[in-house]
Amino acid sequence: KIDNKWDLNRFNNQKLKWSSCYDNFECSSFKVPIDYQDLTLGVFRIQVIKHSAFDKKHRLGSIVVNPGGPGGSGIDYIYSADSSFSKALLTKYDFIGFDGRGVGSSDPITCLTDKEADNFIDVDGSVDSQEELAKLKSAASYFADACAKKAGVKLGHVSTYENAKDMEVLRNILREPKLNYLGKSYGTFLGAIYISLYPENVGKFILDGAIDPNVSITEQSLNQAVGFEKALDDYLKTYKEFSKARIQQFIEDAGTKPMKAKDGRVLSRSLVITAIAASLYDNKLGWLSLRKGLSDAIKKADSHFLFTLADSYNNRDANGHYYNNQNDIGIAIDCLDWKSRKSAEEIAKDVPKFVSASQTFGRYISFSQLPCTYWKAPPIESGLTFK
């Protein structure tokens, strides 16, 4: 908590107290206001990690990174700095990662218990009947209510707009005259907002896999479905063991006669789609993993590897525990970032467009933003425009 004497200057003049952590890194934390318009509401404590430049004598400054998401951990990303960034950059720059407000280790907002998360993830995103639509609506509403109860006043303050303001606080307390930044995927949206808010403080920016900040959340989801479809087509050009039609039939079968694991878990259509989509991000190890997963499941009726792929993407360990909160906070961020909040019936009207654009993934992704329909906090009105 903070008292009324705190103002933005005090936030910007904090000092990072670095201490050794995880062998070769340094860790610290700093405070940011929950609400930049009402500093009395309290604070988020933001955790930050540093991989120091090898050549400290000729150090050129810091590079702040965001791995994507929304809700991806910048701290986890820095753990793999030696393999993720070139030696030339690691020699001259400190690499700084942070978990955004509500993410990972920064006062995390976790909405569901492990069992509730299992049930939520297993809900079939493809709607074939009014009964299935009712189940989807019930799950989305339950999730939104759970997040409201767990987050309290913070529910409406985990937006990308506010995360960009937090990066400006971080720039100030790093004592950097300009912000150098690397953002991937969702991280490009965070970078674009920072540029719009603080153009005079922009240093070297790399935005990798840029998201168009002007499109709607429906268009974002549609573009994602199209991207997965293209990636699957590319995969099938290399690994021709199964046709696309056979893979699609396998997905459909998971909804009517799903495979079971030894512990009784059911390999739902949702988990099959997740396992396939997660593997398509990487055309080397990911594709090899997908080949094994599909071969084991279709030829041997062995679902173990597909469970492993889906669980890894969902951050679920072998004991059934979700080891970070990215699933929950990712939805929370999206619900504040995007204005469009369609009803389930309105979303259903878009399904044919999704299926036409992506025969394999479209119908499963089309309802992905339904929890925002029931969100208990309004979207953030940043007033920003992008050209």
Side-chain angles (χ1 to χ4, degrees):
K1 292 184 178 180
I2 58 175
D3 58 39
N4 291 330
K5 295 179 181 178
W6 275 75
D7 58 22
L8 282 180
N9 284 330
R10 290 187 66 180
F11 283 107
N12 287 321
N13 288 322
Q14 296 172 83
K15 292 184 178 180
L16 289 171
K17 298 178 181 179
W18 295 106
S19 60
S20 178
C21 62
Y22 309 109
D23 296 329
N24 300 318
F25 303 92
E26 294 178 89
C27 293
S28 188
S29 66
F30 63 100
K31 296 175 182 178
V32 294
I34 292 174
D35 185 348
Y36 278 89
Q37 303 303 313
D38 183 359
L39 302 186
T40 66
L41 281 186
V43 299
F44 280 100
R45 185 177 289 276
I46 306 299
Q47 301 297 324
V48 61
I49 190 170
K50 176 169 67 173
H51 182 287
S52 294
F54 295 137
D55 185 354
K56 294 179 175 58
K57 184 177 180 180
H58 300 99
R59 174 184 171 276
L60 297 177
S62 301
I63 299 176
V64 175
V65 302
N66 182 282
S73 170
I75 290 179
D76 288 351
Y77 191 42
I78 291 297
Y79 291 158
S80 61
D82 288 345
S83 59
S84 297
F85 313 117
S86 71
K87 186 176 180 180
L89 287 174
L90 291 169
T91 298
K92 298 293 186 180
Y93 289 92
D94 295 340
F95 274 78
I96 308 292
F98 69 99
D99 284 353
R101 48 176 59 212
V103 172
S105 57
S106 295
D107 294 344
I109 295 172
T110 302
C111 305
L112 302 178
T113 66
D114 290 338
K115 183 60 178 177
E116 289 172 334
D118 277 347
N119 293 336
F120 181 68
I121 286 171
D122 275 346
V123 173
D124 196 337
S126 65
V127 174
D128 300 317
S129 66
Q130 286 299 313
E131 181 182 3
E132 288 186 354
L133 181 60
K135 288 181 180 179
L136 203 58
K137 290 167 67 174
S138 177
S141 177
Y142 184 91
F143 178 84
D145 287 344
C147 285
K149 291 176 183 177
K150 293 293 179 65
V153 69
K154 293 179 178 178
L155 183 73
H157 296 287
V158 292
S159 69
T160 304
Y161 173 72
E162 289 157 315
N163 267 294
K165 286 178 170 287
D166 297 345
M167 281 211 304
E168 175 64 0
V169 173
L170 177 57
R171 182 193 67 81
N172 278 297
I173 62 180
L174 287 171
R175 309 296 185 250
E176 295 286 358
K178 303 282 185 180
L179 179 72
N180 298 321
Y181 176 76
L182 166 63
K184 295 188 174 183
S185 188
Y186 158 82
T188 67
F189 182 48
L190 176 59
I193 290 181
Y194 182 90
I195 291 169
S196 295
L197 286 172
Y198 308 105
E200 69 282 2
N201 296 334
V202 173
K204 300 178 178 70
F205 265 51
I206 299 174
L207 304 181
D208 184 0
I211 290 174
D212 184 348
N214 292 310
V215 305
S216 68
I217 190 62
T218 300
E219 291 173 294
Q220 292 261 10
S221 297
L222 184 60
N223 290 339
Q224 184 181 48
V226 170
F228 281 136
E229 197 73 34
K230 183 180 185 305
L232 179 60
D233 288 339
D234 290 341
Y235 164 83
L236 290 171
K237 292 175 184 176
T238 300
Y239 298 108
K240 302 176 182 180
E241 196 169 9
F242 303 108
S243 67
K244 183 188 278 192
R246 182 65 186 92
I247 293 172
Q248 290 171 346
Q249 185 59 55
F250 176 70
I251 296 169
E252 287 301 301
D253 290 345
T256 55
K257 43 185 178 182
M259 302 170 68
K260 289 187 178 181
K262 293 179 180 179
D263 62 1
R265 284 181 75 198
V266 172
L267 188 68
S268 63
R269 278 196 288 203
S270 175
L271 290 177
V272 173
I273 282 289
T274 299
I276 294 173
S279 304
L280 292 173
Y281 282 99
D282 177 2
N283 63 3
K284 293 184 175 67
L285 293 179
W287 284 12
L288 287 172
S289 296
L290 179 57
R291 184 188 189 190
K292 176 174 173 52
L294 290 175
S295 182
D296 285 357
I298 295 176
K299 289 184 175 181
K300 305 175 186 178
D302 181 353
S303 60
H304 175 74
F305 205 73
L306 286 182
F307 270 116
T308 300
L309 293 174
D311 287 347
S312 176
Y313 186 80
N314 288 326
N315 308 302
R316 185 186 191 273
D317 66 23
N319 297 316
H321 173 61
Y322 289 83
Y323 48 84
N324 67 35
N325 71 328
Q326 185 170 353
N327 295 328
D328 293 356
I329 194 64
I331 295 174
I333 294 169
D334 273 345
C335 289
L336 297 182
D337 282 354
W338 308 100
K339 295 179 183 179
S340 175
R341 292 187 178 181
K342 296 180 178 180
S343 69
E345 290 73 20
E346 288 172 323
I347 293 174
K349 294 178 182 178
D350 290 331
V351 172
K353 179 170 63 175
F354 275 75
V355 173
S356 176
S358 174
Q359 189 178 10
T360 308
F361 300 95
R363 60 193 295 221
Y364 301 96
I365 291 178
S366 56
F367 279 93
S368 59
Q369 297 303 318
L370 185 59
C372 298
T373 303
Y374 305 96
W375 212 245
K376 308 303 180 187
I380 293 293
E381 295 288 346
S382 68
L384 298 177
T385 57
F386 301 92
K387 297 180 180 179

